[in-house]
C-alpha cells in the first residue's frame, strides 16, 4: 500500500462539486475509497467517509441548509470566538463566511502532504467583519485525507498588521456514534473545564 503513497496524485483525487445551494464543495478521495467533503461555506467539513463508505460525521436532522447559517453537523470552524465567551455571535463568524481555495499557500512540512489528498482554504475578513471585530488576519485551513483514511485539519492564523489581538477557536466536531451512553471523554481529569450542558465548572 506504500506504493500508493508514492504515486498518489492529490490533484486528480480532488474534485469540486456544487451543493444544493450552488456553493462549491471540495471532495477529497483516497486510493481505498475513503472520502471527505469540504464546503467553501464556513470551510466546514460536511462529510467524512471510511473506505466502506460509512459516514463518520453526524448531521442533525434539524440542520438548516441555507447560508449564511452554518449547517449543524460535520466539523464547524469556530473563530474568532468559541461559544458565547465574547461580544460576537455564538462561535464567531468564520463558520458563516465564504472561504476561497488557496492555490499558493505558504509551505507546510512536506511530510504533511505525502500520499495525501488535500485542499487549502483561506478566509480574510470583509469590511463588515472588521466593523464587528477590527483585527486583520488571514486564516488558512488545510484539510487532508490520508491513505489510511485519517482526516487532518491544520489551521494557521496570521496577524496581518502586527497589532496584537486575541481569539478563541475550536473545531466543533459532530462525530456519528451508535450509542451515546457508551461515549467517554478522557483526559480532562487534571484540567479545569466548563460543562456547558450543566453550566457547571469542574
Ligand atoms: O446552535 P449552534 O450555534 O450551531 O451551536 C451548536 C452547539 O454548540 C455548542 O458549543 C453548545 O454547547 C451547544 O449548546 C450548541 O447547541
Amino acid at each position: 500500500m506504500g506504493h500508493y503513497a508514492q504515486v498518489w496524485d492529490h490533484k486528480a483525487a480532488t474534485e469540486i462539486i456544487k451543493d444544493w445551494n450552488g456553493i462549491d464543495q471540495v471532495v477529497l478521495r483516497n486510493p481505498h475509497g475513503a472520502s471527505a467533503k469540504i464546503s467553501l461555506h464556513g470551510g466546514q467539513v460536511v462529510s467524512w467517509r471510511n473506505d466502506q463508505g460509512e459516514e463518520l460525521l453526524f448531521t442533525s436532522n434539524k440542520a438548516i441548509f441555507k447560508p449564511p447559517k452554518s449547517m449543524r453537523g460535520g466539523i464547524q470552524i469556530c473563530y474568532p470566538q468559541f461559544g458565547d465567551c465574547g461580544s460576537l455571535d455564538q462561535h464567531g463568524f468564520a463558520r458563516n463566511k465564504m472561504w476561497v481555495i488557496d492555490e499558493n499557500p505558504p509551505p507546510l512540512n512536506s511530510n504533511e502532504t505525502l500520499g495525501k489528498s488535500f485542499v487549502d482554504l483561506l478566509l480574510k475578513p470583509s469590511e463588515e467583519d472588521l466593523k464587528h471585530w477590527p483585527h486583520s488576519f488571514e486564516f488558512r485551513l488545510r484539510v487532508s485525507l490520508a491513505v489510511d483514511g485519517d482526516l487532518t485539519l491544520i489551521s494557521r492564523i496570521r496577524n496581518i498588521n502586527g497589532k496584537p489581538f486575541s481569539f478563541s477557536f475550536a473545531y466543533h466536531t459532530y462525530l456519528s456514534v451508535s450509542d451515546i451512553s457508551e461515549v467517554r471523554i478522557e483526559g480532562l481529569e487534571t484540567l479545569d473545564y466548563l460543562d456547558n450542558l450543566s453550566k457547571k465548572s469542574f
Side-chain angles (χ1 to χ4, degrees):
M1 295 303 136
H3 175 69
Y4 268 123
Q6 299 305 319
V7 299
W8 186 242
D9 174 355
H10 87 88
K11 289 271 182 208
T14 305
E15 187 192 352
I16 312 253
I17 59 170
K18 297 270 181 208
D19 74 4
W20 46 90
N21 289 309
I23 291 173
D24 284 352
Q25 290 187 336
V26 182
V27 184
L28 306 177
R29 293 198 176 81
N30 86 352
H32 307 300
S35 64
K37 228 182 255 178
I38 305 101
S39 174
L40 293 200
H41 182 249
Q44 186 171 353
V45 180
V46 293
S47 168
W48 174 30
R49 290 183 185 270
N50 63 17
D51 54 9
Q52 310 295 311
E54 295 160 335
E55 179 59 59
L56 305 176
L57 298 176
F58 171 80
T59 298
S60 167
N61 55 17
K62 294 186 181 150
I64 296 166
F65 297 91
K66 194 75 192 159
K69 183 91 185 139
S70 70
M71 185 272 287
R72 187 174 281 181
I75 307 175
Q76 297 184 349
I77 305 294
C78 302
Y79 174 86
Q81 173 184 305
F82 176 61
D84 55 4
C85 320
S87 57
L88 298 173
D89 286 345
Q90 158 124 316
H91 296 324
F93 51 78
R95 65 178 179 159
N96 302 322
K97 299 292 170 182
M98 288 304 300
W99 294 52
V100 295
I101 294 178
D102 190 1
E103 298 289 0
N104 201 11
L108 273 165
N109 181 339
S110 58
N111 284 339
E112 223 4 85
T113 56
L114 197 66
K116 292 181 177 175
S117 309
F118 62 91
V119 65
D120 289 285
L121 300 184
L122 173 63
L123 177 70
K124 293 183 189 180
S126 65
E127 291 297 318
E128 195 56 32
D129 298 334
L130 288 169
K131 283 185 199 157
H132 300 293
W133 201 71
H135 306 295
S136 298
F137 68 89
E138 289 176 350
F139 188 140
R140 288 193 166 74
L141 173 69
R142 171 167 294 182
V143 183
S144 50
L145 181 69
V147 178
D148 61 6
D150 279 2
L151 186 74
T152 304
L153 276 67
I154 298 176
S155 286
R156 295 181 286 174
I157 291 149
R158 184 166 165 232
N159 182 336
I160 293 302
N161 64 11
K163 289 191 195 147
F165 62 82
S166 52
F167 60 88
S168 52
F169 160 85
Y171 297 132
H172 198 304
T173 307
Y174 290 82
L175 290 169
S176 190
V177 294
S178 50
D179 183 355
I180 191 70
S181 66
E182 291 293 318
V183 173
R184 288 166 57 89
I185 298 177
E186 297 180 339
L188 301 179
E189 299 81 358
T190 58
L191 300 175
D192 296 333
Y193 66 93
L194 168 74
D195 181 333
N196 205 26
L197 206 55
S198 63
K199 300 284 177 207
K200 284 185 190 155
S201 295
F202 295 89

